[in-house]
Amino acid sequence: MSFIELDSVYKRYKMGEVTITAADGVTFSVEQGELCMVVGPSGAGKTTVLNILGGIDDCDDGKVRVGGELINDFDKKRLTEYRRYEVGFVFQFYNLVPNLTALENVELATQISNKALSAEKVLERVGLGERMQNFPAQLSGGEQQRVSIARALAKNPKLLLCDEPTGALDYNTGKQILKLLQETSNETGMTIIIITHNQAITPIADRVITMRSGRVHRIAINDNPRPVDQLEW
């Protein structure tokens, strides 16, 4: 059994009298420890799949298994525990608390986890050992994204979900963030899923899932992922 398994997953939204099928029979698997990218244009269903995997949204039909557990059968209490303890989230726009320092933002996450890592050590690991006492407004975009990654990693989750983590960053800063995520996958064995519209960054992934119009169009396994330093786009 794979670490993540989606089997014929459907998600539909009603907009007035119109029904939009955001996930149309999505089926794929991801192995433990893989860095996986889900790629496709806007409206392909990428974020819908990410939200279902993260327990933020539920599916209408199908089965979603993570670590052997059928998460779409979880009751409200178990789903909250799943989001709190087992999943880390990284978003495009950081979502940092502006009146808290970098260290305090990361410590927020450690307070709700039952197996949290040291906030100071995680910030050092992402290269912000000298910036812990700075507020978000005193940090660059890349540094703020590193804080958001550190916040997610500090929970010590088994699954890290990243929604367009380089979307708001310039080329060089984006490469630094991708390198950090690739190193985290390689060094910790954490399963990481990155949502992106940028096909050019997919060579760094172990598995690439291409989506179109709510469906899986193609799944590619990369036996020799490229280091981020060798990436050009």
Side-chain angles (χ1 to χ4, degrees), residues 3-204:
F3 179 64
I4 292 171
E5 294 181 342
L6 275 72
D7 183 10
S8 301
V9 170
Y10 289 84
K11 181 64 183 180
R12 305 175 186 91
Y13 297 98
K14 281 262 190 184
M15 298 187 67
E17 296 183 359
V18 178
T19 299
I20 297 174
T21 303
D24 191 2
V26 173
T27 298
F28 66 79
S29 61
V30 178
E31 301 302 324
Q32 188 158 13
E34 283 188 337
L35 173 61
C36 171
M37 287 197 180
V38 181
V39 64
S42 296
K46 308 183 301 296
T47 298
T48 297
V49 168
L50 192 82
N51 288 343
I52 291 172
L53 271 174
I56 295 174
D57 208 347
D58 57 359
C59 61
D60 296 317
D61 294 295
K63 296 179 180 179
V64 183
R65 285 189 173 86
V66 178
E69 294 187 277
L70 195 62
I71 68 169
N72 52 314
D73 273 359
F74 286 169
D75 60 22
K76 187 175 181 180
K77 180 176 183 293
R78 179 65 185 95
L79 195 60
T80 299
E81 292 172 346
Y82 171 74
R83 288 193 300 261
R84 177 178 293 177
Y85 301 132
E86 300 175 39
V87 185
F89 296 94
V90 177
F91 301 101
Q92 180 176 349
F93 294 110
Y94 325 138
N95 295 325
L96 302 178
V97 181
N99 60 340
L100 297 182
T101 65
L103 178 60
E104 290 166 342
N105 266 280
V106 176
E107 285 175 337
L108 276 181
T110 66
Q111 292 171 11
I112 63 169
S113 175
N114 56 4
K115 50 182 175 32
L117 305 176
S118 161
E120 292 92 341
K121 289 182 179 178
V122 176
L123 280 166
E124 288 172 358
R125 183 166 137 207
V126 302
L128 291 177
E130 303 299 317
R131 306 286 271 163
M132 292 187 195
Q133 300 306 322
N134 289 90
F135 294 95
Q138 299 170 318
L139 301 173
S140 69
E143 288 172 332
Q144 289 184 63
Q145 190 61 293
R146 285 173 181 266
V147 175
S148 75
I149 292 171
R151 179 181 57 195
L153 295 178
K155 290 172 59 180
N156 198 18
K158 63 183 183 182
L159 174 61
L160 183 63
L161 302 175
C162 308
D163 192 357
E164 298 277 6
T166 63
L169 304 174
D170 62 68
Y171 172 78
N172 288 324
T173 307
K175 284 186 73 171
Q176 293 170 8
I177 295 301
L178 289 174
K179 183 177 181 180
L180 173 59
L181 292 171
Q182 189 179 52
E183 289 174 348
T184 298
S185 175
N186 292 339
E187 293 171 7
T188 69
M190 185 181 296
T191 306
I192 300 177
I193 297 182
I194 299 174
I195 299 296
T196 183
H197 66 275
N198 188 354
Q199 187 75 40
I201 68 176
T202 59
I204 74 168

